[in-house]
Amino acid sequence: MKKKKKRIRLRRSAKRIMTALFAISLTICIADSLRRDFFKVTNDDKIVVEGNFVSKSNLPIPTNTIVFDRNSKPTDTTVVGVKFAGFSERILTSDELSHGMLALNPISVDEPEKMVKLSDFHNEHYTVADDNIMLHEEAAEALEGLMTAYNEVTELADFVVCGTTDTYSQYDSVCPRSFSERANGCTVDLALLGIGSYIEFDGLDTESWIVENCTKYGFIVRYPEGKSGITGEEYCPWHLRYVGRVHAAVMSEKNMCLEEYIDFLKDYKVDAPYTYNLNGSVYVLYCIESEGETTSAKVPISGNYEVSGDNRGTYIISYRR
């Protein structure tokens, strides 16, 4: 009797299991059918999703986002950021327009603290007429190199510096004309040693070497031959002006006086500068137009650059790359 009851219980358990398995199978089939209805597969194996979905194109674009257009070009900000890498901003004042190595008719010494007494500075290859003659130290070093080279070539030491910032220029002077640009502290007025007196330097004979080679040391003949229609002054070989080796080299190569050179540089800007190779080094030059009392200028972030006004409304920036 007990064995019979046991068999009945087993049969009931088996039925329950079978029923449960059937229910599970039915549920799976129904779910799969629903899935197939929802995701319809086309003959080209593309899945089509059916449903009432909202298109993203109909949604409002958040105001704090940027729409990306793959066909768009970079903005100006991106270009500028790359183009002027390595530059910083410097504010230039209108007073600086009348200062610098290239300023026309400068009104005063640019760096008074860098003026040296030439009688203490000069070498044995030239003479200084007055113990109180002062010259910018950079120009003084260049003058020493120029006179040393002149002595090596000619074996002469017959030049005398008669003046720099202030030169006696009366009717009986060997330097008979006066120039306002002497105020910048970078000009040199030359004469020749005579027997018991000085002789005016006319740019001829052996001494003409100075006229022909001074640009190699950063000097120019400020009022060169054949340029009086531009400079307003007749040829004056005895009046030299220090402008730096790069500027002097370009002026010499292009046969330009200072006025012509300044006009030439105005066509070159920071994004399209003029470059010049001097003794294996590349120099970069460009101009910035004055904007009034203050002007924002892009300059090399290294700080290794020079600024000169031209006294005509333009700043000239130069640096070695």
Side-chain angles (χ1 to χ4, degrees):
M1 185 68 178
K2 291 182 179 180
K3 289 182 180 180
K4 186 178 180 180
K5 289 181 178 180
K6 187 175 183 180
R7 284 196 296 268
I8 292 171
R9 284 196 296 272
L10 288 174
R11 283 197 297 269
R12 289 177 178 172
S13 297
K15 288 181 179 180
R16 291 194 201 93
I17 293 172
M18 292 299 292
T19 301
L21 290 174
F22 176 77
I24 292 171
S25 298
L26 183 59
T27 301
I28 291 173
C29 290
I30 294 171
D32 185 62
S33 177
L34 292 173
R35 180 186 65 80
R36 289 176 181 273
D37 289 338
F38 190 74
F39 296 97
K40 289 184 178 180
V41 180
T42 64
N43 292 332
D44 55 358
D45 294 328
K46 294 182 179 179
I47 297 176
V48 179
V49 181
E50 293 184 348
N52 186 21
F53 296 97
V54 178
S55 172
K56 287 187 177 180
S57 62
N58 295 327
L59 292 176
I61 299 174
T63 56
N64 60 346
T65 62
I66 299 175
V67 178
F68 174 75
D69 180 0
R70 69 177 64 195
N71 296 318
S72 65
K73 296 181 180 180
T75 64
D76 291 341
T77 302
T78 302
V79 174
V80 169
V82 174
K83 182 186 297 183
F84 297 116
F87 286 80
S88 60
E89 297 289 331
R90 172 177 166 177
I91 301 300
L92 302 174
T93 65
S94 58
D95 291 341
E96 295 177 80
L97 288 171
S98 58
H99 291 274
M101 295 291 187
L102 302 177
L104 296 171
N105 301 315
I107 59 176
S108 64
V109 172
D110 291 331
E111 300 171 300
E113 72 281 2
K114 292 187 177 181
M115 297 293 287
V116 297
K117 187 178 288 189
L118 206 53
S119 59
D120 295 337
F121 196 92
H122 81 103
N123 57 30
E124 68 276 16
H125 302 308
Y126 69 101
T127 303
V128 180
D130 191 310
D131 287 343
N132 296 318
I133 291 177
M134 306 289 287
L135 187 63
H136 190 283
E137 63 179 2
E138 187 175 335
E141 290 174 0
L143 181 63
E144 183 176 7
L146 174 64
M147 292 301 176
T148 298
Y150 168 71
N151 175 261
E152 291 174 351
V153 172
T154 66
E155 297 184 351
L156 296 174
D158 54 347
F159 274 100
V160 55
V161 176
C162 292
T164 55
T165 57
D166 185 22
T167 303
Y168 177 69
S169 56
Q170 299 299 319
Y171 69 95
D172 59 343
S173 172
V174 291
C175 303
R177 281 182 278 167
S178 180
F179 306 105
S180 61
E181 66 176 7
R182 288 173 173 153
N184 81 337
C186 291
T187 65
V188 175
D189 293 329
L190 298 174
L192 297 174
L193 290 172
I195 300 175
S197 63
Y198 299 149
I199 304 172
E200 184 175 340
F201 173 46
D202 58 9
L204 301 176
D205 303 322
T206 303
E207 289 80 9
S208 65
W209 187 95
I210 290 292
V211 173
E212 295 164 359
N213 293 275
C214 66
T215 56
K216 297 176 183 177
Y217 300 86
F219 286 95
I220 59 170
V221 175
R222 175 62 184 91
Y223 302 107
E225 195 169 15
K227 300 289 185 178
S228 60
I230 300 171
T231 64
E233 296 284 350
E234 296 298 323
Y235 178 44
C236 189
W238 50 266
H239 181 67
L240 305 184
R241 177 168 172 175
Y242 182 76
V243 294
R245 290 196 177 194
V246 178
H247 301 302
V250 178
M251 278 187 263
S252 175
E253 182 178 291
K254 296 184 177 296
N255 189 30
M256 291 179 174
C257 61
L258 182 57
E259 285 83 356
E260 291 175 303
Y261 181 59
I262 288 172
D263 288 339
F264 164 75
L265 287 180
K266 285 185 177 180
D267 290 333
Y268 297 94
K269 307 302 179 184
V270 63
D271 56 346
Y274 179 74
T275 58
Y276 188 78
N277 192 311
L278 179 63
N279 299 328
S281 296
V282 177
Y283 291 83
V284 180
L285 305 96
Y286 58 91
C287 288
I288 296 174
E289 298 295 329
S290 172
E291 298 172 353
E293 288 300 316
T294 60
T295 300
S296 178
K298 286 183 171 58
V299 296
I301 199 169
S302 64
N304 185 27
Y305 64 89
E306 293 181 354
V307 179
S308 175
D310 66 358
N311 226 0
R312 287 183 173 180
T314 304
Y315 303 96
I316 299 168
I317 314 294
S318 58
Y319 67 94
R320 186 170 67 179
R321 182 181 293 169

